[in-house]
Structure formats: structure tokens, C-alpha cells
């Protein structure tokens, strides 16, 4: 069990680290290690290729061909590899699935193997994300009604991805099935359908949070998180805090705190203050939720208060709290370097110590492996850049460092840099609001002059 968990964590970390880069060198150089994967570890290893090749639509099908079901039906390969490959196709074509939807539908219809159905449902949900395609919905719903736990869980999530933000109705079946996995999949799927709907979702959220079944209340917390994502809505925050301290289920309490991260991600600087008391709760599930809430809302900010809140949790007495805190810390630090905050280097050394310590518990080790992957997300190219600067110091010796740089539009700006971005003072078009990023509405300060448009 221990080896299996760490094995899977390494697969996930490698996928996160190289997401969208097409760099699968680690997997190619460790084929013998990879071949030892069994069951769901094999599913994850194959699906991980989808994360690495995400967005590369032209080569997706040919790249996954060795692992896919032959002729749309289960071939001679492992069903875990074949299911993982169908999921990988969905990850590669997420939200751009026109070219792959039919193949995934055919694969789903032509197999009775639950693991392959599981991968196909997830892949279809991603490929047809938010399209509310009725034919695909019916195909996935057919799998749900077979009442198999493994396929049913994925069909609930797949239907939610397909209907994301549309407010589709999926609650009825959650009462009819006895499978906890299916109820959990449906609870997450229902939460996805109310994405961004704010007050329109209130009736459904109220319904879910009143159920006796804690899994549906857990889904209600995610529904609140997604309906009010990024709004910092006071009513949603109050509801989540209420469940965080009063629900009888640890599962629901943990998720209620974690959901605060989604609601507050537009105001990350407020988050540490909101969960500071929860991070010291006697209940480890609440402490775990507080850590992840900070990780989600403060991701990439390098916010000092967030790091200070997470530091004691990385050495918590409970193993899964340490796991959550390590993952959250990596999320907060993902876009800052050791030069800007020395705590990044300290944290890296802490991760290495945990990973190499043979006596460390499995949960913490898994958290440290995943945190390493998140921390190094997309860093390989920047490392190359650093070495080039070191190789040619003489060329830049006498050059004065520029006091500013003109950015093209669009340009990538990390949150820590945003406060230094300014529009040129002599510009004809200036922003109506001071925010320099996102969608910016401009006003013409010299409307009498003829307009010159660039082609």
C-alpha cells in the first residue's frame, strides 16, 4: 500500500511538473519502473500522459494509440491502461473536443468493462466541457443507470462536466442508488452544474445542505464554492463558516473550509485572516481544509501571511494535515523564487528530507512528492535561462540595468508584479479602472483626433 501510494504520487507530480510541455522524458527513461504499475496506478500513469500533452490536439490520438481500446472495444491490453488512455484523450482535448468526441462515444458504447467506462465518461466530460450535448448526456446517463460503482462515480462527474454552468438536474438519482461512490460522483457533478450561477443556485444548494446523507451535504459545499467562485460573497462565506464549525460530518466540515478558497480567490490577501482561527481548530479535518483553502485562494501569490499560516501546519501532529499543508505551501510558492523569499529554499529542503526519510509516514511523503511537482511546474525553461545568464557575464558587465520594460499585449504578469504595471502617461487610451490586468476597458482621452488601427 505504502509503495503504491508513493508510486502514484510520483506519477501525478511528474504530470503536474510537465503539464502541457509534451516532455515525457521521465516516463520514457523509466519504462521498467513504469511497467510495475498495477490496477489504478496503471490507469493514472496512462492518464498522466494526457496532462503532459494537454492542448496538443493534432498528435493526441496517435500518441495514445498504443494504449487505446482496439477498434473502440476492449482489446487485449489492460483495461486500466485503456481506461486511462480514454481519460488522457479527454485531458488533451479538454474544451476542444470536436475531433475526439465521436471516438470517445463509440468507445463508451462498445464496452461493458467498468474501468474503461470510467475513463471514457471522464474523457467525454472534459472533451465536451460545458456543451450540454444531449446525445453525449444520454450516453453517460446510460452508464449511470447500470448502477456499477466504479463507472457510476465517473458518470456523475462526467455529466457535471458536460453540463457545467447550465444548472442541469441530476439530484433525483442520488436518492435511488445505494453506492457511496456514485452518490459522491453525482454530488460533485451537481456542484459543477451550478458553476458561476450565484443566486440562481441558492435553491439547489439549500436542498443539498439539508439532506441527512453527509455526501450530498459535502456536494452542497462544493456547489456553494463553484456557484460563488471568486465573488467573495458575504452570504456564501457565512454559510460555509457555519457548516465548518457545526456540521456533524468531518467530511462536510473539511470541504466547507476548503470551499472558502474558491469563493475568496479574487481577494487572496483576505484569506489568511478568515481561516486563521480554523487553522488552529482541535479538529484535524478543519485544519486540513484551512490549509487547502489558503493554497487555492493564494496560489501563485507568494503572500507572506499565507506562508506564515501554513508553516506550523507542515509539522502538524496529524499526517494528513501535514500532507495538505505541504501541497498548499507549494501552490502559494509556485510563482516565486528563492531570491524573492528565502523560505522557498527552506521549504524545498524540507520536502527533500520528507521524501528521503524512510521512517516518514506515507501520507506526508505523498504530500511532499506532490508539492515538489507543483513547485517545479514549468520551471525547467527558467532554469535554462538562469544558466545562460551565468555563462555570459562579460556581455552584460557594462550595461546599466533598465528602469522599465515595455510589455506587449497580452503579456503574462504574476500577481506579485501587478502593482508595478503602469500605462504610459502619454497614451491616448487609458483604463477606466486602475486594474492593469484581465479584461481592461479603455477610454479615449483624445477623441477629436483621427483613429489609427493596427492591422
Amino acid at each position: 500500500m505504502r509503495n503504491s501510494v508513493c508510486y502514484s504520487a510520483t506519477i501525478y507530480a511528474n504530470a503536474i511538473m510537465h503539464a502541457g510541455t509534451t516532455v515525457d522524458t521521465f516516463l520514457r527513461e523509466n519504462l521498467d519502473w513504469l511497467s510495475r504499475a498495477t490496477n489504478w496506478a496503471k490507469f493514472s500513469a496512462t492518464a498522466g500522459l494526457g496532462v503532459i500533452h494537454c492542448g496538443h490536439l493534432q498528435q493526441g490520438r496517435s500518441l495514445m494509440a498504443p494504449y487505446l481500446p482496439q477498434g473502440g472495444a476492449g482489446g487485449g491490453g489492460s483495461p486500466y491502461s485503456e481506461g486511462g488512455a480514454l481519460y488522457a484523450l479527454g485531458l488533451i482535448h479538454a474544451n476542444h473536443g470536436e475531433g475526439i468526441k465521436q471516438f470517445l462515444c463509440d468507445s463508451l458504447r462498445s464496452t461493458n468493462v467498468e474501468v474503461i467506462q470510467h475513463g471514457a465518461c471522464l474523457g467525454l466530460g472534459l472533451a465536451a466541457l460545458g456543451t450540454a450535448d444531449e446525445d453525449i448526456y444520454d450516453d453517460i446517463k446510460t452508464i449511470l443507470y447500470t448502477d456499477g460503482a466504479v463507472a457510476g462515480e465517473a458518470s456523475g462527474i462526467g455529466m457535471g462536466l458536460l453540463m457545467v454552468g447550465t444548472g442541469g438536474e441530476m439530484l433525483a438519482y442520488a436518492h435511488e442508488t445505494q453506492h457511496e461512490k456514485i452518490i459522491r460522483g453525482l454530488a460533485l457533478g451537481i456542484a459543477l452544474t451550478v458553476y458561476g450561477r450565484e443566486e440562481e443556485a441558492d435553491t439547489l444548494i439549500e436542498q443539498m445542505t439539508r439532506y441527512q446523507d453527509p455526501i450530498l451535504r459535502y456536494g452542497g459545499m462544493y456547489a456553494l464554492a463553484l456557484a460563488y467562485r471568486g465573488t467573495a460573497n458575504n452570504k456564501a462565506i457565512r454559510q460555509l463558516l457555519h457548516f465548518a464549525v457545526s456540521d456533524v460530518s468531518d467530511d462536510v466540515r473539511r470541504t466547507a473550509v476548503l470551499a472558502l478558497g474558491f469563493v475568496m480567490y479574487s481577494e487572496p490577501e483576505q484569506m489568511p485572516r478568515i481561516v486563521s482561527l480554523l487553522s488552529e481548530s482541535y479538529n484535524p479535518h478543519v485544519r486540513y481544509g484551512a490549509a487547502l483553502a489558503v493554497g487555492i485562494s493564494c496560489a501563485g501569490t507568494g503572500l507572506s501571511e499565507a506562508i506564515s499560516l501554513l508553516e506550523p501546519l507542515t509539522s502538524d501532529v496529524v499526517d494528513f494535515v501535514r500532507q495538505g499543508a505541504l501541497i498548499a505551501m507549494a501552490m502559494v510558492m509556485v510563482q516565486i523564487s528563492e531570491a524573492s523569499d528565502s523560505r522557498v529554499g527552506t521549504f524545498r529542503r524540507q520536502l527533500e528530507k520528507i521524501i528521503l526519510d524512510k521512517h516518514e509516514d506515507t501520507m506526508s511523503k505523498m504530500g511532499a512528492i506532490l508539492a515538489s511537482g507543483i513547485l517545479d511546474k514549468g520551471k525547467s525553461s527558467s532554469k535554462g535561462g538562469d544558466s545562460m545568464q551565468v555563462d555570459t557575464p562579460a556581455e552584460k558587465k557594462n550595461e546599466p540595468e533598465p528602469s522599465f520594460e515595455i510589455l506587449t499585449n497580452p503579456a503574462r504578469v504574476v500577481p506579485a508584479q501587478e502593482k508595478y504595471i503602469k500605462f504610459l502617461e502619454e497614451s491616448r487610451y487609458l483604463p477606466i479602472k486602475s486594474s492593469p490586468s484581465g479584461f481592461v476597458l479603455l477610454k479615449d482621452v483624445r477623441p477629436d483626433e483621427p483613429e489609427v488601427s493596427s492591422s
Side-chain angles (χ1 to χ4, degrees):
M1 175 62 183
R2 180 190 173 105
N3 288 338
S4 171
V5 169
C6 293
Y7 184 104
S8 294
T10 307
I11 293 290
Y12 302 147
N14 179 63
I16 294 165
M17 199 183 298
H18 298 103
T21 63
T22 73
V23 178
D24 53 10
T25 316
F26 172 79
L27 300 177
R28 292 182 188 281
E29 288 179 354
N30 293 278
L31 290 173
D32 181 50
W33 175 79
L34 206 59
S35 67
R36 290 182 221 149
T38 56
N39 301 338
W40 288 105
K42 194 182 278 282
F43 182 97
S44 300
T46 317
L49 287 169
V51 179
I52 293 169
H53 294 274
C54 175
H56 296 269
L57 311 182
Q58 304 301 320
Q59 303 85 23
R61 177 88 177 265
S62 57
L63 183 87
M64 299 312 300
Y67 311 98
L68 288 166
Q70 299 306 309
S78 159
Y80 290 95
S81 272
E82 292 176 3
L86 292 170
Y87 182 22
L89 280 181
L91 289 162
I92 291 168
H93 294 83
N95 207 23
H96 297 88
E98 275 307 313
I100 206 70
K101 285 192 296 191
Q102 193 55 53
F103 174 79
L104 289 168
C105 282
D106 292 343
S107 299
L108 183 62
R109 290 175 193 143
S110 58
T111 183
N112 293 317
V113 181
E114 275 205 65
V115 178
I116 299 176
Q117 289 173 337
H118 183 98
C121 285
L122 294 174
L124 264 174
L126 288 164
L129 188 69
T131 60
D133 185 304
E134 289 183 17
D135 293 334
I136 296 176
Y137 186 82
D138 288 341
D139 281 342
I140 299 178
K141 191 164 69 173
T142 302
I143 302 300
L144 178 69
Y145 287 161
T146 60
D147 208 42
V150 171
E153 180 183 33
S155 63
I157 297 169
M159 286 160 70
L161 290 166
L162 183 69
M163 307 299 285
V164 72
T166 65
E169 180 51 60
M170 293 159 53
L171 197 51
Y173 189 72
H175 304 299
E176 297 170 22
T177 181
Q178 298 302 308
H179 289 294
E180 189 177 302
K181 274 179 177 285
I182 298 179
I183 299 170
R184 195 173 291 276
L186 281 167
L188 289 172
I190 293 163
L192 286 163
T193 66
V194 297
Y195 175 82
R197 294 184 79 84
E198 299 184 28
E199 285 84 2
E200 290 176 27
D202 284 354
T203 306
L204 180 66
I205 290 167
E206 178 75 13
Q207 214 178 334
M208 292 182 79
T209 54
R210 286 182 179 277
Y211 278 114
Q212 278 193 310
D213 188 338
I215 300 174
L216 288 173
R217 296 202 305 279
Y218 148 97
M221 298 306 104
Y222 275 118
L224 260 169
L226 296 180
Y228 288 95
R229 85 284 175 274
T231 61
N233 180 282
N234 282 328
K235 182 184 156 197
I237 293 167
R238 276 199 309 274
Q239 276 185 279
L240 290 169
L241 287 171
H242 167 72
F243 283 101
V245 297
S246 66
D247 201 277
V248 295
S249 163
D250 285 336
D251 209 12
V252 177
R253 293 181 70 175
R254 182 183 67 246
T255 311
V257 186
L258 183 151
L260 287 164
F262 288 100
V263 176
M264 292 295 297
Y265 71 70
S266 60
E267 297 185 17
E269 61 286 345
Q270 303 293 331
M271 197 67 221
R273 178 182 59 80
I274 289 174
V275 299
S276 61
L277 289 175
L278 295 170
S279 72
E280 297 169 8
S281 167
Y282 71 92
N283 186 322
H285 295 271
V286 173
R287 297 201 299 276
Y288 176 95
L292 261 294
V294 169
I296 291 163
S297 62
C298 303
T301 61
L303 199 67
S304 184
E305 296 88 339
I307 294 170
S308 298
L309 184 141
L310 290 169
E311 272 179 334
L313 293 174
T314 62
S315 51
D316 195 274
V317 293
V318 178
D319 55 359
F320 67 81
V321 177
R322 294 199 294 277
Q323 182 195 77
L326 293 170
I327 293 168
M329 185 76 90
M331 291 168 76
V332 173
M333 290 181 170
V334 68
Q335 291 195 0
I336 62 169
S337 64
E338 196 171 343
S340 60
D341 193 326
S342 61
R343 290 180 290 186
V344 177
T346 307
F347 181 56
R348 280 188 181 280
R349 290 187 286 278
Q350 183 183 1
L351 293 177
E352 191 174 346
K353 181 176 179 294
I354 293 168
I355 292 167
L356 296 176
D357 186 351
K358 290 181 181 176
H359 305 292
E360 187 62 69
D361 62 87
T362 306
M363 294 287 267
S364 297
K365 198 169 278 231
M366 179 185 180
I369 294 168
L370 289 171
S372 297
I374 295 166
L375 208 55
D376 284 330
K377 165 84 184 80
K379 296 278 168 68
S380 51
S381 57
S382 63
K383 284 178 184 170
D386 290 344
S387 63
M388 285 193 287
Q389 287 177 349
V390 174
D391 288 343
T392 56
E395 291 178 25
K396 298 202 171 188
K397 197 171 183 182
N398 299 319
E399 287 182 22
E401 191 174 335
S403 59
F404 68 93
E405 177 187 356
I406 303 287
L407 298 176
T408 57
N409 186 25
R412 181 173 179 270
V413 177
V414 299
Q417 296 170 325
E418 199 166 321
K419 60 186 173 210
Y420 300 109
I421 303 294
K422 287 188 174 67
F423 281 76
L424 295 173
E425 288 177 13
E426 69 273 16
S427 291
R428 174 174 174 176
Y429 301 98
L430 292 173
I432 289 173
K433 290 186 178 177
S434 58
S435 173
S437 65
F439 290 98
V440 182
L441 198 60
L442 303 173
K443 64 179 176 185
D444 187 349
V445 294
R446 299 198 289 274
D448 299 330
E449 293 182 14
E451 285 193 28
V452 180
S453 58
S454 58
S455 55

